[in-house]
Amino acid sequence: MDAVIGKAEQKIEYLSSDEEAMKIYYEIEKSLHERSNMISSVEKRGKLEVSKNLLDILDDETIVEKTDLYVEEIKMLR
């Protein structure tokens, strides 16, 4: 196991000294972060849409419980 860790450390050291590899790494990291933000945004919009459909049949507290939104967000939809 120590040999595997040693190889990994060598690889990290090598890659971190390679400017082009680091640039690629940071671009990938940025892309993954942006993708995560987009997914979160879509999930939030979906929860808001579901909440709108529940406004006429459920109270605010139940909608909050089922959607993980804040009471303030539900009240803004009313």
Side-chain angles (χ1 to χ4, degrees):
M1 185 69 163
D2 290 334
V4 173
I5 293 172
K7 281 186 174 185
E9 287 175 342
Q10 287 175 347
K11 188 75 166 177
I12 290 170
E13 188 176 318
Y14 168 75
L15 290 174
S16 65
S17 66
D18 182 345
E19 201 171 303
E20 185 63 26
M22 290 304 294
K23 182 179 176 184
I24 292 168
Y25 168 79
Y26 287 122
E27 289 298 319
I28 291 170
E29 191 71 22
K30 180 181 174 187
S31 175
L32 291 173
H33 183 69
E34 289 172 352
R35 184 175 182 202
S36 175
N37 286 340
M38 287 180 5
I39 290 170
S40 294
S41 177
V42 168
E43 288 174 345
K44 179 76 164 202
R45 280 186 269 155
K47 288 180 180 185
L48 290 170
E49 285 299 315
V50 167
S51 296
K52 284 181 188 177
N53 292 329
L54 297 174
L55 289 174
D56 60 342
I57 56 175
L58 295 175
D59 61 285
D60 292 354
E61 289 76 25
T62 304
I63 295 173
V64 167
E65 184 180 311
K66 299 300 180 186
T67 62
D68 293 326
L69 294 173
Y70 295 105
V71 173
E72 294 79 19
E73 293 172 304
I74 303 304
K75 288 182 180 183
M76 287 175 43
L77 294 174
R78 289 201 181 272

